Every structure is written in C-alpha cells, then in structure tokens.
Coordinates of all heavy atoms in Angstrom, one line a residue:
M283 N 0.8 -1.2 0.0 CA 0.0 0.0 0.0 C 0.9 1.2 0.0 O 1.7 1.4 0.8 CB -0.9 0.0 1.2 CG -1.7 1.3 1.4 SD -2.5 1.5 2.9 CE -4.0 0.5 2.7
K284 N 0.7 2.1 -0.9 CA 1.5 3.3 -1.0 C 0.7 4.5 -0.3 O -0.5 4.7 -0.4 CB 1.6 3.7 -2.5 CG 2.5 4.9 -2.7 CD 2.7 5.2 -4.2 CE 3.6 6.3 -4.4 NZ 3.8 6.7 -5.7
R285 N 1.5 5.2 0.5 CA 1.0 6.3 1.3 C 1.4 7.6 0.7 O 2.5 7.8 0.2 CB 1.5 6.2 2.7 CG 1.1 5.0 3.4 CD 1.7 4.9 4.8 NE 0.8 5.6 5.7 CZ 1.0 5.6 7.0 NH1 2.0 4.9 7.5 NH2 0.2 6.2 7.8
N286 N 0.4 8.5 0.6 CA 0.7 9.8 0.1 C 1.1 10.7 1.3 O 0.3 11.2 2.1 CB -0.6 10.4 -0.5 CG -0.3 11.6 -1.3 OD1 0.9 12.0 -1.4 ND2 -1.3 12.3 -1.8
V287 N 2.4 11.0 1.4 CA 3.0 11.7 2.6 C 3.7 13.0 2.0 O 4.5 12.9 1.1 CB 4.0 10.9 3.3 CG1 4.6 11.6 4.5 CG2 3.3 9.6 3.8
S288 N 3.3 14.1 2.7 CA 4.0 15.3 2.4 C 5.0 15.6 3.5 O 4.7 15.5 4.6 CB 3.0 16.5 2.3 OG 2.1 16.3 1.2
V289 N 6.2 15.9 3.1 CA 7.2 16.3 4.0 C 7.6 17.7 3.8 O 7.8 18.2 2.6 CB 8.5 15.4 3.9 CG1 9.6 15.8 4.8 CG2 8.1 13.9 4.0
G290 N 7.8 18.5 4.9 CA 8.2 19.9 4.7 C 8.7 20.4 6.0 O 9.0 19.6 7.0
Y291 N 8.9 21.7 6.1 CA 9.4 22.3 7.3 C 8.8 23.7 7.4 O 8.3 24.2 6.4 CB 10.9 22.3 7.3 CG 11.5 23.1 6.2 CD1 11.9 24.4 6.4 CD2 11.8 22.5 5.0 CE1 12.4 25.2 5.3 CE2 12.4 23.2 3.9 CZ 12.7 24.6 4.1 OH 13.2 25.3 3.1
T292 N 8.9 24.2 8.6 CA 8.4 25.6 8.8 C 9.5 26.4 9.4 O 10.3 25.9 10.3 CB 7.3 25.5 9.9 OG1 6.2 24.7 9.4 CG2 6.7 26.9 10.2
V293 N 9.7 27.6 8.9 CA 10.7 28.5 9.4 C 10.0 29.6 10.2 O 9.1 30.3 9.7 CB 11.5 29.1 8.2 CG1 12.5 30.2 8.8 CG2 12.2 28.1 7.4
F294 N 10.4 29.7 11.4 CA 9.8 30.8 12.3 C 10.8 32.0 12.3 O 11.9 31.8 12.6 CB 9.6 30.3 13.7 CG 8.5 29.3 13.8 CD1 8.9 27.9 13.8 CD2 7.2 29.6 13.9 CE1 7.9 26.9 13.9 CE2 6.2 28.7 14.0 CZ 6.5 27.3 14.0
K295 N 10.2 33.1 11.9 CA 11.1 34.3 11.8 C 10.4 35.4 12.6 O 9.3 35.7 12.5 CB 11.2 34.7 10.3 CG 12.1 35.9 10.1 CD 12.2 36.2 8.6 CE 13.1 37.4 8.4 NZ 13.1 37.8 7.0
S296 N 11.2 36.1 13.4 CA 10.8 37.1 14.3 C 10.3 38.3 13.4 O 10.9 38.7 12.4 CB 11.9 37.6 15.2 OG 11.5 38.7 15.9
T297 N 9.2 38.9 13.9 CA 8.7 40.1 13.2 C 9.4 41.3 13.7 O 9.2 42.4 13.1 CB 7.2 40.2 13.5 OG1 6.9 40.5 14.9 CG2 6.4 39.1 13.0
G298 N 10.1 41.2 14.8 CA 10.7 42.4 15.4 C 9.9 43.1 16.5 O 10.4 43.9 17.2
V299 N 8.6 42.7 16.6 CA 7.8 43.2 17.7 C 8.1 42.5 19.0 O 8.2 41.3 19.1 CB 6.3 43.0 17.4 CG1 5.4 43.6 18.5 CG2 5.9 43.7 16.0
K300 N 8.4 43.3 20.0 CA 8.8 42.8 21.3 C 7.8 43.3 22.4 O 7.3 44.4 22.3 CB 10.2 43.2 21.7 CG 11.2 42.7 20.7 CD 12.6 43.3 21.0 CE 13.6 42.9 19.9 NZ 14.9 43.5 20.1
D301 N 7.7 42.5 23.4 CA 7.0 42.9 24.6 C 7.9 42.8 25.8 O 8.8 41.9 25.8 CB 5.7 42.1 24.8 CG 6.0 40.7 24.9 OD1 6.3 40.2 26.0 OD2 5.8 40.0 23.9
R302 N 7.8 43.7 26.8 CA 8.7 43.7 27.9 C 8.0 44.2 29.1 O 7.2 45.1 29.1 CB 9.8 44.7 27.6 CG 11.2 44.1 27.7 CD 12.3 45.2 27.3 NE 12.9 44.7 26.1 CZ 13.4 45.5 25.2 NH1 13.5 46.8 25.4 NH2 14.0 45.0 24.1
I303 N 8.3 43.6 30.2 CA 7.8 44.1 31.5 C 8.9 45.1 32.0 O 10.1 44.8 32.1 CB 7.7 43.0 32.6 CG1 6.7 42.0 32.1 CG2 7.4 43.6 33.9 CD1 5.2 42.5 32.1
T304 N 8.5 46.4 32.2 CA 9.5 47.4 32.5 C 9.5 47.8 34.0 O 10.5 48.3 34.5 CB 9.2 48.7 31.7 OG1 7.9 49.1 32.0 CG2 9.4 48.4 30.2
K305 N 8.4 47.4 34.7 CA 8.4 47.8 36.2 C 7.4 46.8 36.9 O 6.3 46.6 36.4 CB 7.9 49.2 36.3 CG 7.9 49.7 37.8 CD 7.5 51.1 37.9 CE 7.5 51.6 39.3 NZ 7.0 52.9 39.5
V306 N 7.9 46.4 38.1 CA 7.0 45.6 38.9 C 7.1 46.2 40.3 O 8.1 46.3 40.9 CB 7.5 44.1 39.0 CG1 6.6 43.3 40.0 CG2 7.5 43.4 37.7
D307 N 5.9 46.7 40.8 CA 5.8 47.3 42.1 C 5.1 46.3 43.0 O 3.8 46.3 42.9 CB 5.1 48.6 42.0 CG 5.1 49.4 43.4 OD1 5.1 48.7 44.4 OD2 5.1 50.6 43.3
L308 N 5.8 45.6 43.8 CA 5.2 44.5 44.6 C 4.3 45.1 45.7 O 3.3 44.5 46.1 CB 6.2 43.6 45.2 CG 7.0 42.8 44.2 CD1 8.2 42.0 44.9 CD2 6.1 41.8 43.4
T309 N 4.7 46.3 46.2 CA 3.9 47.0 47.3 C 2.6 47.4 46.8 O 1.5 47.1 47.4 CB 4.7 48.2 47.8 OG1 6.0 47.7 48.2 CG2 4.0 48.8 49.0
K310 N 2.5 48.1 45.6 CA 1.3 48.6 45.0 C 0.6 47.5 44.2 O -0.5 47.7 43.8 CB 1.5 49.8 44.2 CG 2.0 51.0 44.9 CD 2.2 52.2 44.0 CE 2.6 53.4 44.7 NZ 2.8 54.5 43.7
K311 N 1.3 46.4 44.0 CA 0.8 45.3 43.1 C 0.4 45.8 41.7 O -0.7 45.5 41.2 CB -0.4 44.6 43.8 CG -0.1 43.9 45.1 CD -1.2 43.1 45.6 CE -0.9 42.7 47.0 NZ -0.4 41.5 47.3
Q312 N 1.4 46.6 41.2 CA 1.2 47.1 39.8 C 2.4 46.6 39.0 O 3.5 46.6 39.4 CB 1.2 48.6 39.9 CG 0.0 49.2 40.6 CD 0.1 50.7 40.6 OE1 1.1 51.3 40.5 NE2 -1.1 51.3 40.8
V313 N 2.1 46.3 37.7 CA 3.1 45.9 36.8 C 2.9 46.7 35.5 O 1.7 46.8 35.0 CB 3.0 44.4 36.5 CG1 3.9 43.9 35.4 CG2 3.2 43.6 37.8
T314 N 4.0 47.2 34.9 CA 3.9 47.9 33.7 C 4.7 47.1 32.6 O 5.8 46.6 32.8 CB 4.6 49.3 33.9 OG1 4.0 50.0 34.9 CG2 4.5 50.1 32.6
G315 N 4.0 47.1 31.4 CA 4.7 46.4 30.3 C 4.5 47.3 29.1 O 3.7 48.2 29.0
V316 N 5.4 47.0 28.1 CA 5.4 47.8 26.9 C 5.4 46.9 25.7 O 5.9 45.7 25.7 CB 6.5 48.8 26.8 CG1 6.4 49.9 27.9 CG2 7.9 48.1 26.8
V317 N 4.9 47.3 24.5 CA 5.0 46.7 23.2 C 5.8 47.6 22.4 O 5.5 48.8 22.3 CB 3.7 46.4 22.6 CG1 3.8 45.8 21.2 CG2 2.8 45.5 23.5
L318 N 7.0 47.1 21.8 CA 7.8 48.0 21.0 C 8.2 47.3 19.7 O 8.2 46.1 19.6 CB 9.0 48.4 21.8 CG 9.8 47.4 22.7 CD1 11.1 47.1 22.0 CD2 10.0 48.0 24.0
Y319 N 8.6 48.2 18.8 CA 9.0 47.7 17.5 C 10.1 48.7 17.0 O 9.9 49.9 17.1 CB 7.8 47.7 16.5 CG 8.2 47.3 15.1 CD1 8.6 46.0 14.8 CD2 8.1 48.2 14.1 CE1 8.9 45.6 13.5 CE2 8.4 47.8 12.8 CZ 8.8 46.5 12.5 OH 9.1 46.1 11.2
N320 N 11.2 48.1 16.6 CA 12.4 49.0 16.3 C 12.7 49.9 17.4 O 13.0 51.1 17.2 CB 12.2 49.7 15.0 CG 12.2 48.8 13.8 OD1 12.8 47.7 13.8 ND2 11.5 49.1 12.7
E321 N 12.6 49.4 18.6 CA 13.0 50.2 19.9 C 12.1 51.4 20.1 O 12.4 52.3 20.9 CB 14.4 50.6 19.9 CG 15.4 49.4 19.9 CD 15.1 48.3 20.9 OE1 14.9 48.7 22.1 OE2 15.1 47.1 20.6
I322 N 10.9 51.5 19.4 CA 9.9 52.5 19.6 C 8.8 51.9 20.4 O 8.2 50.9 19.9 CB 9.5 53.1 18.3 CG1 10.6 53.8 17.5 CG2 8.3 54.1 18.5 CD1 10.3 54.2 16.1
I323 N 8.4 52.5 21.5 CA 7.3 52.0 22.3 C 6.0 52.4 21.6 O 5.7 53.6 21.4 CB 7.4 52.5 23.7 CG1 8.6 52.0 24.4 CG2 6.1 52.1 24.5 CD1 8.9 52.5 25.8
Y324 N 5.1 51.5 21.3 CA 3.9 51.7 20.7 C 2.7 51.7 21.7 O 1.7 52.4 21.6 CB 3.6 50.7 19.6 CG 4.3 51.0 18.3 CD1 5.6 50.7 18.2 CD2 3.7 51.7 17.3 CE1 6.3 51.0 17.0 CE2 4.4 52.1 16.1 CZ 5.7 51.7 16.0 OH 6.4 52.0 14.9
M325 N 2.9 50.9 22.7 CA 1.8 50.7 23.7 C 2.4 50.4 25.1 O 3.3 49.6 25.2 CB 0.8 49.6 23.3 CG -0.4 49.5 24.2 SD -1.7 48.4 23.5 CE -1.0 46.8 23.8
T326 N 1.9 51.1 26.1 CA 2.3 50.9 27.5 C 1.0 50.4 28.2 O 0.0 51.0 28.1 CB 2.8 52.2 28.1 OG1 4.0 52.6 27.4 CG2 3.3 51.9 29.6
V327 N 1.2 49.4 29.0 CA 0.1 48.8 29.7 C 0.4 48.7 31.2 O 1.5 48.2 31.6 CB -0.2 47.3 29.2 CG1 -1.4 46.7 30.0 CG2 -0.5 47.3 27.7
L328 N -0.5 49.3 32.0 CA -0.3 49.2 33.5 C -1.4 48.4 34.1 O -2.6 48.6 33.9 CB -0.4 50.6 34.1 CG -0.4 50.7 35.6 CD1 0.9 50.2 36.2 CD2 -0.8 52.0 36.1
V329 N -1.0 47.3 34.7 CA -1.9 46.3 35.3 C -1.9 46.6 36.8 O -0.8 46.5 37.4 CB -1.6 44.9 35.0 CG1 -2.6 43.9 35.7 CG2 -1.5 44.6 33.5
D330 N -3.1 46.9 37.4 CA -3.2 47.2 38.8 C -4.0 46.0 39.4 O -5.2 46.0 39.2 CB -3.8 48.5 39.1 CG -3.8 48.9 40.5 OD1 -4.0 48.0 41.4 OD2 -3.7 50.1 40.8
L331 N -3.3 45.2 40.1 CA -4.0 44.0 40.6 C -4.9 44.3 41.9 O -5.8 43.6 42.1 CB -3.0 42.9 41.0 CG -2.2 42.4 39.8 CD1 -1.0 41.5 40.3 CD2 -3.1 41.6 38.9
L332 N -4.5 45.4 42.6 CA -5.4 45.7 43.7 C -6.7 46.2 43.3 O -7.7 45.9 44.0 CB -4.7 46.8 44.6 CG -3.5 46.4 45.5 CD1 -2.9 47.6 46.2 CD2 -4.0 45.3 46.5
T333 N -6.8 47.0 42.3 CA -8.1 47.5 41.8 C -8.7 46.7 40.6 O -9.7 47.0 40.2 CB -7.9 49.0 41.4 OG1 -7.0 49.1 40.3 CG2 -7.5 49.9 42.5
D334 N -7.9 45.7 40.2 CA -8.3 44.9 39.1 C -8.6 45.7 37.8 O -9.7 45.6 37.2 CB -9.5 44.0 39.4 CG -9.8 42.9 38.4 OD1 -8.8 42.5 37.8 OD2 -10.9 42.5 38.2
T335 N -7.7 46.7 37.5 CA -7.9 47.5 36.4 C -6.6 47.5 35.5 O -5.5 47.1 35.9 CB -8.1 49.0 36.8 OG1 -7.0 49.4 37.6 CG2 -9.4 49.2 37.6
V336 N -6.8 47.8 34.2 CA -5.8 47.9 33.2 C -5.8 49.3 32.6 O -6.9 49.7 32.1 CB -5.9 46.8 32.2 CG1 -4.8 46.9 31.1 CG2 -5.8 45.4 32.8
S337 N -4.7 50.0 32.6 CA -4.6 51.3 31.9 C -3.7 51.1 30.7 O -2.7 50.5 30.8 CB -4.1 52.4 32.8 OG -4.9 52.5 34.0
V338 N -4.1 51.7 29.5 CA -3.4 51.6 28.3 C -3.1 52.9 27.7 O -4.0 53.8 27.6 CB -4.1 50.7 27.3 CG1 -3.3 50.6 26.0 CG2 -4.4 49.3 27.8
E339 N -1.8 53.2 27.4 CA -1.4 54.4 26.6 C -0.9 53.9 25.3 O -0.1 53.0 25.3 CB -0.4 55.2 27.4 CG -0.9 55.9 28.6 CD 0.1 56.8 29.3 OE1 1.1 57.1 28.6 OE2 0.0 57.1 30.5
G340 N -1.2 54.6 24.2 CA -0.7 54.3 22.9 C -1.6 53.2 22.3 O -2.7 52.9 22.7
S341 N -1.1 52.7 21.1 CA -1.8 51.8 20.3 C -0.9 50.9 19.5 O 0.2 51.3 19.1 CB -2.7 52.6 19.4 OG -3.3 51.8 18.4
I342 N -1.4 49.7 19.2 CA -0.6 48.8 18.3 C -1.2 48.8 16.9 O -0.8 47.9 16.1 CB -0.5 47.4 18.9 CG1 -1.8 46.8 19.2 CG2 0.4 47.4 20.1 CD1 -1.8 45.3 19.5
D343 N -2.1 49.7 16.6 CA -2.8 49.7 15.3 C -1.8 49.7 14.1 O -2.0 49.0 13.1 CB -3.8 50.9 15.2 CG -5.0 50.7 16.1 OD1 -5.2 49.6 16.6 OD2 -5.7 51.7 16.3
E344 N -0.7 50.4 14.3 CA 0.3 50.5 13.2 C 1.0 49.2 13.0 O 1.6 49.0 12.0 CB 1.3 51.6 13.5 CG 0.7 53.0 13.4 CD 1.8 54.0 13.7 OE1 2.9 53.9 13.1 OE2 1.6 54.9 14.5
L345 N 0.9 48.3 14.0 CA 1.6 47.0 13.9 C 0.8 45.9 13.4 O 1.1 44.7 13.5 CB 2.2 46.7 15.3 CG 3.1 47.7 15.9 CD1 3.6 47.3 17.3 CD2 4.3 48.0 15.0
D346 N -0.4 46.2 12.8 CA -1.3 45.2 12.3 C -0.6 44.3 11.4 O 0.0 44.7 10.4 CB -2.5 45.9 11.6 CG -3.6 44.9 11.3 OD1 -3.8 44.0 12.1 OD2 -4.2 45.1 10.2
G347 N -0.8 43.0 11.6 CA -0.2 42.0 10.8 C 1.2 41.6 11.3 O 1.7 40.5 10.9
L348 N 1.8 42.4 12.1 CA 3.1 42.0 12.7 C 3.0 41.5 14.2 O 3.8 40.7 14.6 CB 4.1 43.2 12.7 CG 4.6 43.8 11.4 CD1 5.4 45.0 11.6 CD2 5.5 42.7 10.7
A349 N 2.0 42.1 14.9 CA 1.9 41.8 16.3 C 0.7 41.0 16.6 O -0.2 40.8 15.8 CB 1.9 43.2 17.1
M350 N 0.6 40.6 17.9 CA -0.6 39.9 18.4 C -1.7 41.0 18.4 O -1.4 42.2 18.3 CB -0.4 39.4 19.8 CG 0.6 38.3 19.9 SD 0.6 37.6 21.6 CE 1.1 38.9 22.6
D351 N -2.9 40.6 18.6 CA -4.0 41.6 18.7 C -4.0 42.2 20.1 O -3.4 41.7 21.0 CB -5.3 41.0 18.3 CG -5.8 39.9 19.3 OD1 -6.0 40.2 20.5 OD2 -6.0 38.7 18.8
Y352 N -4.7 43.3 20.2 CA -4.8 44.1 21.4 C -5.2 43.2 22.6 O -4.5 43.3 23.7 CB -5.8 45.2 21.2 CG -6.1 46.1 22.4 CD1 -5.3 47.1 22.7 CD2 -7.2 45.8 23.2 CE1 -5.6 47.9 23.9 CE2 -7.5 46.5 24.4 CZ -6.6 47.6 24.7 OH -6.9 48.4 25.8
D353 N -6.3 42.5 22.5 CA -6.8 41.7 23.6 C -5.7 40.6 24.1 O -5.6 40.4 25.3 CB -8.1 41.0 23.3 CG -9.2 41.9 23.1 OD1 -9.2 43.0 23.7 OD2 -10.2 41.6 22.4
S354 N -5.0 40.1 23.1 CA -4.0 39.1 23.5 C -2.9 39.7 24.3 O -2.4 39.1 25.3 CB -3.4 38.5 22.2 OG -4.3 37.7 21.5
Y355 N -2.5 40.9 24.0 CA -1.4 41.6 24.8 C -2.0 41.9 26.2 O -1.3 41.7 27.2 CB -1.0 42.9 24.1 CG 0.1 42.7 23.0 CD1 -0.2 43.0 21.7 CD2 1.3 42.2 23.4 CE1 0.8 42.7 20.8 CE2 2.3 42.0 22.4 CZ 2.0 42.3 21.1 OH 3.0 42.1 20.2
I356 N -3.2 42.4 26.3 CA -3.8 42.7 27.6 C -3.8 41.5 28.4 O -3.4 41.5 29.6 CB -5.2 43.4 27.4 CG1 -5.1 44.7 26.6 CG2 -5.8 43.6 28.8 CD1 -4.2 45.7 27.1
E357 N -4.3 40.4 27.9 CA -4.4 39.1 28.7 C -3.0 38.6 29.1 O -2.8 38.1 30.2 CB -5.1 38.1 27.9 CG -6.6 38.3 27.8 CD -7.3 38.6 29.2 OE1 -7.1 37.7 30.1 OE2 -8.0 39.5 29.3
M358 N -2.0 38.8 28.2 CA -0.7 38.3 28.5 C -0.1 39.2 29.6 O 0.5 38.6 30.6 CB 0.2 38.5 27.3 CG 1.7 38.1 27.5 SD 2.8 38.5 26.2 CE 2.7 40.3 26.2
F359 N -0.2 40.5 29.6 CA 0.3 41.4 30.6 C -0.4 41.1 31.9 O 0.2 41.1 33.0 CB 0.2 42.8 30.2 CG 1.3 43.2 29.2 CD1 0.9 43.9 28.1 CD2 2.6 43.0 29.5 CE1 1.9 44.3 27.1 CE2 3.6 43.4 28.5 CZ 3.3 44.0 27.4
K360 N -1.7 40.9 31.9 CA -2.4 40.6 33.1 C -1.9 39.3 33.8 O -1.7 39.2 35.0 CB -4.0 40.5 32.9 CG -4.6 41.8 32.7 CD -6.0 41.7 32.2 CE -7.0 41.0 33.1 NZ -8.4 41.0 32.6
S361 N -1.7 38.3 32.9 CA -1.2 37.0 33.4 C 0.2 37.1 34.0 O 0.5 36.6 35.1 CB -1.2 36.0 32.3 OG -0.7 34.8 32.6
Q362 N 1.0 37.8 33.3 CA 2.4 38.0 33.8 C 2.4 38.8 35.1 O 3.1 38.5 36.0 CB 3.2 38.8 32.7 CG 3.6 37.9 31.6 CD 4.4 38.7 30.5 OE1 4.3 39.9 30.4 NE2 5.2 37.9 29.7
A363 N 1.5 39.8 35.2 CA 1.5 40.6 36.4 C 1.1 39.8 37.6 O 1.7 39.8 38.7 CB 0.5 41.8 36.2
A364 N 0.0 38.9 37.4 CA -0.4 38.1 38.5 C 0.7 37.1 38.9 O 0.9 36.9 40.1 CB -1.7 37.3 38.0
F365 N 1.4 36.6 38.0 CA 2.5 35.6 38.3 C 3.6 36.3 39.0 O 4.1 35.8 40.1 CB 3.1 35.0 37.0 CG 4.3 34.1 37.2 CD1 4.1 32.8 37.6 CD2 5.5 34.6 37.0 CE1 5.2 32.0 37.8 CE2 6.6 33.8 37.2 CZ 6.5 32.5 37.6
F366 N 4.1 37.5 38.6 CA 5.2 38.2 39.2 C 4.8 38.6 40.6 O 5.6 38.4 41.6 CB 5.7 39.3 38.4 CG 6.3 39.0 37.1 CD1 6.0 39.6 35.9 CD2 7.2 37.9 37.0 CE1 6.6 39.3 34.7 CE2 7.8 37.5 35.8 CZ 7.5 38.2 34.7
V367 N 3.7 39.1 40.8 CA 3.2 39.6 42.2 C 3.0 38.4 43.1 O 3.5 38.4 44.2 CB 2.0 40.5 42.1 CG1 1.4 40.8 43.5 CG2 2.3 41.8 41.4
A368 N 2.4 37.3 42.6 CA 2.1 36.2 43.5 C 3.4 35.5 43.9 O 3.5 35.0 45.0 CB 1.3 35.2 42.7
N369 N 4.4 35.6 43.0 CA 5.7 34.9 43.3 C 6.8 35.9 43.8 O 8.0 35.5 43.9 CB 6.2 34.2 42.1 CG 5.3 33.0 41.8 OD1 5.4 32.0 42.5 ND2 4.5 33.1 40.8
Q370 N 6.3 37.1 44.2 CA 7.2 38.2 44.7 C 8.5 38.4 43.8 O 9.6 38.5 44.3 CB 7.7 37.8 46.1 CG 6.5 37.8 47.1 CD 5.9 39.2 47.3 OE1 6.6 40.0 47.9 NE2 4.7 39.4 46.9
I371 N 8.3 38.4 42.5 CA 9.4 38.7 41.6 C 9.3 40.1 41.2 O 8.4 40.6 40.5 CB 9.2 37.8 40.3 CG1 9.2 36.3 40.7 CG2 10.3 38.1 39.3 CD1 8.8 35.4 39.7
S372 N 10.3 40.9 41.6 CA 10.4 42.3 41.3 C 11.2 42.6 40.1 O 11.2 43.7 39.6 CB 10.9 43.1 42.5 OG 12.2 42.7 42.9
N373 N 12.1 41.7 39.7 CA 12.9 41.9 38.6 C 12.8 40.7 37.6 O 13.5 39.7 37.6 CB 14.4 42.0 39.0 CG 15.4 42.3 38.0 OD1 15.1 42.1 36.8 ND2 16.5 42.8 38.3
P374 N 11.8 40.8 36.6 CA 11.6 39.8 35.7 C 12.8 39.4 34.8 O 13.0 38.2 34.6 CB 10.4 40.3 34.8 CG 9.8 41.3 35.7 CD 10.9 41.9 36.5
K375 N 13.6 40.4 34.4 CA 14.7 40.1 33.6 C 15.7 39.2 34.3 O 16.2 38.1 33.8 CB 15.5 41.3 33.2 CG 16.7 41.1 32.3 CD 17.3 42.3 31.8 CE 18.5 42.2 30.9 NZ 19.1 40.9 30.8
K376 N 16.0 39.5 35.6 CA 16.9 38.6 36.4 C 16.3 37.2 36.6 O 17.0 36.2 36.5 CB 17.1 39.3 37.8 CG 18.0 38.5 38.7 CD 18.2 39.2 40.0 CE 19.0 38.4 41.0 NZ 19.0 38.9 42.3
Y377 N 15.0 37.2 36.8 CA 14.3 35.9 37.0 C 14.5 35.0 35.7 O 14.8 33.9 35.8 CB 12.8 36.2 37.2 CG 11.9 34.9 37.2 CD1 11.9 34.0 38.3 CD2 11.1 34.6 36.1 CE1 11.2 32.9 38.3 CE2 10.4 33.5 36.0 CZ 10.4 32.6 37.1 OH 9.6 31.4 37.1
Y378 N 14.2 35.6 34.5 CA 14.4 34.8 33.3 C 15.8 34.5 33.0 O 16.1 33.4 32.5 CB 13.7 35.5 32.1 CG 12.2 35.5 32.2 CD1 11.5 36.7 32.1 CD2 11.5 34.3 32.3 CE1 10.1 36.7 32.2 CE2 10.1 34.3 32.4 CZ 9.4 35.5 32.3 OH 8.1 35.5 32.4
D379 N 16.7 35.4 33.3 CA 18.2 35.2 33.1 C 18.6 34.0 33.9 O 19.5 33.2 33.5 CB 19.0 36.4 33.4 CG 18.9 37.5 32.3 OD1 18.3 37.2 31.2 OD2 19.3 38.6 32.6
E380 N 18.1 33.9 35.2 CA 18.5 32.8 36.0 C 18.0 31.4 35.6 O 18.5 30.4 35.9 CB 18.1 33.1 37.5 CG 18.9 34.2 38.1 CD 18.4 34.6 39.5 OE1 17.4 34.1 39.9 OE2 19.1 35.5 40.1
M381 N 16.9 31.5 34.8 CA 16.3 30.2 34.3 C 17.1 29.6 33.2 O 17.1 28.4 33.0 CB 14.9 30.5 33.8 CG 13.9 30.8 34.9 SD 12.2 31.0 34.3 CE 11.8 29.4 33.7
I382 N 17.9 30.5 32.5 CA 18.7 30.0 31.4 C 19.9 29.3 31.8 O 20.6 29.4 32.7 CB 19.0 31.2 30.4 CG1 17.7 31.7 29.9 CG2 19.9 30.7 29.3 CD1 17.9 33.0 29.0

C-alpha cells in the first residue's frame, strides 16, 4: 500500500515586535509592560492587581499583521502581572536570566 505523505518544514522568523515588563511594584501590586518595534514604544500597559484595572497608553494599530492583537497583549500582561506579584518577583529580567 502506497501512502501519500507530504514532508516539509516551517521557518519561524521574528517580526521584530517585542513585549517587555518594565516595572514591577510589589507593594502597590502594579506591573507595567510595553510593546515595542524597532525600539519605539507603541503601547504601554499598566496592570493594577489591587483595583483589578488595566490602563493603556498608545496603540498597536500601526503594527497590524506584525503583532498579536490588542486583547492578546492585555491578557498576556495581566497573566504576567499576577505571576510576578504572586511569586514576589520584582525583577523579571533577572528571573528569566537565572532560568537559562
């Protein structure tokens, strides 16, 4: 019996859009993150876990097709904020560097 099999590969290439946590305030339970492209900040997101609010400055509209959608970024930053605060991580970069 002959099988019809397709073989191929996928290349993942960065779009250059980055997201970063820039500040974690464990006392206020607030986390700030940014979305940037070519080192230009397009959107800043402040997650306040005490008041369960999210404040957004800027927009990722110009990054359409390159970046995740708005809701995905908000959910990602909310999730990261909850993780960092719950685990008392004030320096995410150091935390990730130590994992490597």
